[in-house]
Amino acid sequence: MLPHASQAAHVDSVPPPASKRATLKECGECTLCCKVYDIPDLEKKAGKTCHHTRPEGGCGVWGLHPNICQEFKCLWLKHDDMNGIWRPDHAGFVLRLEPNGTTLAVDVDHDRPDAWRQPHYYDQLKIWSEVMPKNEGLVLVYAPEGVYVITPTEDLFLKAPKRGDILETGMEDSLFGRRPFARIIPANQARKDRSQLVKRRA
């Protein structure tokens, strides 16, 4: 997924704090992570359910499934203070943290593209997004049509980025005061900018 260019400090409030590791939660019938992600080892594309998924739930090749699957745990599993409405198959999306540790990603079920907009989910996403103006984190919704940068005041839509693109976010002055912004820097432009920076330093 995308890195973002804003400077970010670790934020314990995105998502809910993990004071205790969940010990009793199980995936059960939920297999949404087997649908919303690309699995290169299986040549599976996001939006299509993995053919190893069992109708009753679980993986038909458990123990032999790809490392990317073995290493993944959604935030609902990790946080015992997230109740059942946040289980991905109930919510219609999977929550995870991106590698930077401060970006909360909401990966939407392609067959339920507006599930994240339901008030009990959307209101909480807005609360979590309050870290964005302070440059302390981001909330990103990866929907079939593109990516939404959720901010306390507005949601910024960007077309689906390509691999290697950079997401730049922050606050900027406008005629109406300080407002959030988000833009995609194409991978080739990012490489060019880095090359020019190295030349200037040399």
Side-chain angles (χ1 to χ4, degrees):
M1 292 299 175
L2 286 172
H4 66 88
S6 59
Q7 296 177 355
H10 181 71
V11 181
D12 290 332
S13 60
V14 181
S19 56
K20 297 182 292 183
R21 182 61 180 265
T23 56
L24 299 178
K25 280 187 177 179
E26 296 180 351
C27 298
E29 297 177 355
C30 180
T31 57
L32 193 57
C33 65
C34 304
K35 179 180 180 182
V36 299
Y37 299 118
D38 289 327
I39 306 178
D41 290 351
L42 301 177
E43 298 183 351
K44 190 202 82 67
K45 298 296 185 182
K48 302 293 184 182
T49 300
C50 176
H51 65 276
H52 291 302
T53 302
R54 299 183 301 182
E56 68 274 20
C59 178
V61 291
W62 182 261
L64 300 175
H65 52 313
N67 288 337
I68 193 172
C69 302
Q70 295 183 31
E71 295 170 359
F72 180 78
K73 284 191 176 179
C74 71
L75 292 181
W76 178 78
L77 276 178
K78 289 182 176 181
H79 292 275
D80 57 359
D81 51 355
M82 298 188 82
N83 63 28
I85 69 168
W86 292 94
R87 198 174 88 168
D89 59 336
H90 295 159
F93 51 81
V94 180
L95 294 178
R96 63 179 171 82
L97 277 183
E98 295 203 342
N100 61 25
T102 59
T103 298
L104 175 64
V106 182
D107 298 305
V108 175
D109 182 353
H110 290 57
D111 292 326
R112 299 168 61 189
D114 294 322
W116 64 278
R117 298 180 185 275
Q118 297 302 310
H120 47 288
Y121 298 124
Y122 184 72
D123 293 347
Q124 184 61 59
L125 295 179
K126 282 293 193 181
I127 292 172
W128 286 335
S129 78
E130 291 174 2
V131 296
M132 187 271 184
K134 296 180 286 186
N135 205 23
E136 295 178 342
L138 283 176
V139 176
L140 302 180
V141 175
Y142 291 97
E145 67 272 19
V147 60
Y148 294 86
V149 180
I150 308 301
T151 82
T153 55
E154 55 188 301
D155 302 332
L156 308 175
F157 175 74
L158 299 166
K159 291 184 178 180
K162 298 177 181 178
R163 186 176 298 276
D165 290 352
I166 300 295
L167 173 61
E168 186 177 47
T169 65
M171 302 293 292
E172 61 186 2
D173 293 322
S174 75
L175 293 176
F176 306 99
R178 297 278 288 173
R179 297 187 64 178
F181 74 87
R183 54 180 167 257
I184 297 290
I185 302 176
N188 58 355
Q189 181 62 47
R191 287 193 296 269
K192 181 179 178 182
D193 292 345
R194 284 195 295 267
S195 176
Q196 291 175 345
L197 179 60
V198 169
K199 289 180 180 178
R200 285 198 296 269
R201 287 179 176 175

